[in-house]
Amino acid sequence: MQWRPLALLLSGIGIIYFASLIQESPYPHPMKTYTSDSTRWRETPDDIILSTMGDYLYLTALHFETVYPGLEGFNHGTGELKSGVVGSITQLRRPLRVFMQDHVNETKVAEDRWMQTFEHRLPGGISKVSMATPSENEPNDIQFGVMYHVVENESSKHYVRIYYVTDNNDDAPVFKYKDILMPGTTWISAFSLERHEILYSRDPDRYRFRTVTLPPDLTDPPHSADSDEITITESTTGDPIKEYHQPRNTEDHELALSRLYSAEWETYRVVTVDIHRTDNAYYCNFTVVDNVTTITQSSDVQEEEHHQKNEWIIRKHEPVKYDVYSEEQVDYIGFADVTQFQQERTRLTMPRIMFARSNDAKALVFPFVQNQFLTLDFLDQQSHDDKGEYVELFDWLRNDVQGPYDATIIGIHINEKGNMLAVWTDYNTIYIYKRGSANTHQVPRRAPSLLDRIDMWLDVGIPEIEDEINHERHDKESALPWKLRMAITPHEGDINSRPISSVKFWNVTSNGRENNYLLVALQNGGVNSYLVDEAEEYTEADFLSYVKTNWNMVIAMIMVIGAFVLNEYHNHA
């Protein structure tokens, strides 16, 4: 039976080849223009903010809770509030030309290096950070806000330090700040820095959120340490807590909130995401509410003005419930004993809620469950409600991040126009989505894999039709869908094991051409830049690429196949 070893050998090779056919096709990688491996921090910062102002890139590193040298051991507290800790904020800047494609090969001079602009110590620990969304029609002086907390005797104070930019003689913007003392002493669980106010939520409270108005002379001198703290004593309440707002046996609660666009200038629109975790389920509530002014009709004008009041009206509410446990099949005995498979219940971690918002506040993106994210888009359409009134329309989009099933989204960022999106996971992979005018043919497309073709043949998958995503031909009653166009993996993107802290899209015109860059800040202090309008040389998935990528597994399979072939040859030849 000389044919049996040969048949066994061919069968083994055929299995390896079949595995190469069903592999996922890689996504194009944006062109790398600059990479940095420098470590700039003794301790890893808790958060990093990237800002582009003028001709410079500003990198702001925040350490939420640090201890003064020599005062170790004086920190105390197990909850959100702690005594004996302070917040630390350090900012560096570097010319933006270093990260551009046209200057990547030029010799770096002393002026091209990182330069520290300030290092601030806050009198209390930091809990949250909020970026200010730039405006298309107003000055963009305000950059971001940092919330910190101070414990004094038997009371606590909650501050928001707002950083803004001022002009300097050397044509480089300089960051200044002012401290704002928030009203009340109850813990602030979430806040959003808006253009003219601070939107925040307390835990506990009888209202879902509140607002305080920023003073109009916030950015006027004096600045920073020379200025006095601004004390705000009153707030404007949002919509009240409804009955059964919080489920029974709630163990944890996360909230995020943001202002949303409205075509009616007098309407103040807020979107909130509430997640309550109980012992067996997550309860998610997505709510859009409007603050409108109602007037009670009266014959007397003064009486009419007296009866003006603001009401909060719920425009959209989407409740979602999902299990707090995930079940996985685990073999505790061994691979050969297939009768011993058991279900292992793994408790999911509490989702981290964050918002990414376009400049016009018409597009809002936030993570949902592990590897899913939702997009709320404003549509330039109106319809009649049950009362016959015109209401503005919104559309919800739900997307799943490609990659490992257990990947968790840890960051998200949208560009100014709302047509490019960057999502990164705990696997240090960045996925770049495009839509509308940004979804062009300038970069190569991902080739469909064998499984993709089978899905299309079975009418399970949706073929890629460019007309469906063209802005001019798109159905106006639904939002433009996101299309995954690029991915930066740890190996190809020179990220390796260094976690990603922050990313930022940067649009610049160079040599008469408009370019879109993606700036990636790593936790060690390095910053990489990628040109998302162009891609590196694209390699389609084939047998050779499968062997190069999975060489360790292929060698193990060849060794197993060789052992079976030799055994067959010696015993049955």
Side-chain angles (χ1 to χ4, degrees), residues 307-325:
H307 283 82
Q308 288 183 357
K309 72 173 183 176
N310 294 331
E311 292 183 347
W312 290 95
I313 300 176
I314 297 179
R315 295 299 187 189
K316 192 74 174 179
H317 178 69
E318 295 287 342
V320 178
K321 176 184 176 182
Y322 63 95
D323 196 358
V324 76
Y325 291 96

Side-chain angles (χ1 to χ4, degrees), residues 80 186-190 201-205 207 246 252-254:
E80 292 88 354
T186 310
W187 178 256
I188 298 178
S189 57
S201 175
R202 293 191 179 278
D203 185 16
D205 197 358
Y207 300 90
Q246 177 175 300
D252 201 354
H253 174 227
E254 289 289 340

Side-chain angles (χ1 to χ4, degrees), residues 161-227:
R161 174 168 290 188
I162 297 180
Y163 282 87
Y164 52 89
V165 293
T166 59
D167 295 332
N168 198 20
N169 296 330
D170 60 354
D171 296 330
V174 177
F175 279 69
K176 303 294 184 179
Y177 69 85
K178 280 189 175 67
D179 290 322
I180 295 181
L181 175 60
M182 301 292 288
T185 59
T186 310
W187 178 256
I188 298 178
S189 57
F191 88 104
S192 176
L193 179 60
E194 304 296 334
R195 295 165 186 169
H196 304 288
E197 63 276 338
I198 297 176
L199 185 65
Y200 68 101
S201 175
R202 293 191 179 278
D203 185 16
D205 197 358
R206 296 178 58 186
Y207 300 90
R208 293 202 309 120
F209 58 86
R210 297 170 180 262
T211 60
V212 293
T213 303
L214 297 176
D217 57 348
L218 178 67
T219 58
D220 294 344
H223 306 293
S224 302
D226 297 331
S227 63

Side-chain angles (χ1 to χ4, degrees), residues 58-339:
Y58 292 84
L59 187 149
T60 307
L62 299 97
H63 294 83
F64 286 1
E65 296 178 358
T66 60
V67 181
Y68 277 119
L71 297 180
E72 293 82 359
F74 285 92
N75 56 319
H76 183 73
T78 58
E80 292 88 354
L81 283 175
K82 293 182 177 63
S83 62
V85 297
V86 297
S88 175
I89 304 176
T90 305
Q91 187 181 83
L92 310 174
R93 80 177 186 189
R94 194 175 190 182
L96 279 166
R97 63 175 179 270
V98 177
F99 306 95
M100 296 175 60
Q101 182 184 21
D102 300 336
H103 302 272
V104 68
N105 296 323
E106 293 183 359
T107 303
K108 303 298 184 295
V109 296
E111 291 78 8
D112 293 337
R113 299 176 182 175
W114 289 102
M115 183 181 70
Q116 181 172 316
T117 57
F118 67 77
E119 183 176 3
H120 294 159
R121 294 274 186 173
L122 280 68
I126 301 173
S127 64
K128 305 166 191 65
V129 180
S130 178
M131 296 291 297
T133 303
S135 173
E136 299 177 352
N137 304 320
E138 301 178 12
N140 297 318
D141 299 334
I142 299 178
Q143 296 299 305
F144 60 90
V146 178
M147 177 166 287
Y148 65 96
H149 314 272
V150 178
V151 178
E152 293 183 353
N153 295 326
E154 298 185 29
S155 64
S156 59
K157 295 181 179 180
H158 310 286
Y159 291 87
V160 175
R161 174 168 290 188
I162 297 180
Y163 282 87
Y164 52 89
V165 293
T166 59
D167 295 332
N168 198 20
N169 296 330
D170 60 354
D171 296 330
V174 177
F175 279 69
K176 303 294 184 179
Y177 69 85
K178 280 189 175 67
D179 290 322
I180 295 181
L181 175 60
M182 301 292 288
T185 59
T186 310
W187 178 256
I188 298 178
S189 57
F191 88 104
S192 176
L193 179 60
E194 304 296 334
R195 295 165 186 169
H196 304 288
E197 63 276 338
I198 297 176
L199 185 65
Y200 68 101
S201 175
R202 293 191 179 278
D203 185 16
D205 197 358
R206 296 178 58 186
Y207 300 90
R208 293 202 309 120
F209 58 86
R210 297 170 180 262
T211 60
V212 293
T213 303
L214 297 176
D217 57 348
L218 178 67
T219 58
D220 294 344
H223 306 293
S224 302
D226 297 331
S227 63
D228 298 328
E229 69 177 38
I230 301 173
T231 302
I232 299 179
T233 58
E234 295 182 355
S235 64
T236 303
T237 58
D239 61 326
I241 295 291
K242 302 296 192 301
E243 190 177 8
Y244 302 111
H245 172 76
Q246 177 175 300
R248 294 181 178 178
N249 303 323
T250 296
E251 299 176 350
D252 201 354
H253 174 227
E254 289 289 340
L255 169 70
L257 69 172
S258 175
R259 188 172 181 180
L260 201 60
Y261 174 83
S262 175
E264 303 294 336
W265 65 271
E266 70 275 6
T267 299
Y268 193 95
R269 178 166 294 154
V270 177
V271 56
T272 62
V273 179
D274 282 278
I275 298 182
H276 293 86
R277 183 181 67 182
T278 63
D279 54 351
N280 59 0
Y282 285 110
Y283 294 88
C284 305
N285 289 277
F286 311 102
T287 310
V288 178
V289 294
D290 287 353
N291 180 266
V292 296
T293 302
T294 58
I295 301 177
T296 304
Q297 297 296 330
S298 175
S299 59
D300 190 358
V301 177
Q302 295 182 355
E303 187 71 18
E304 179 179 320
E305 295 179 355
H306 180 72
H307 283 82
Q308 288 183 357
K309 72 173 183 176
N310 294 331
E311 292 183 347
W312 290 95
I313 300 176
I314 297 179
R315 295 299 187 189
K316 192 74 174 179
H317 178 69
E318 295 287 342
V320 178
K321 176 184 176 182
Y322 63 95
D323 196 358
V324 76
Y325 291 96
S326 65
E327 296 184 356
E328 300 177 1
Q329 286 188 347
V330 179
D331 180 13
Y332 292 96
I333 306 300
F335 181 77
D337 191 359
V338 296
T339 62

Side-chain angles (χ1 to χ4, degrees), residues 543-552 554:
F543 181 75
L544 293 179
S545 65
Y546 178 80
V547 173
K548 292 179 181 179
T549 306
N550 305 278
W551 59 270
N552 50 355
V554 173

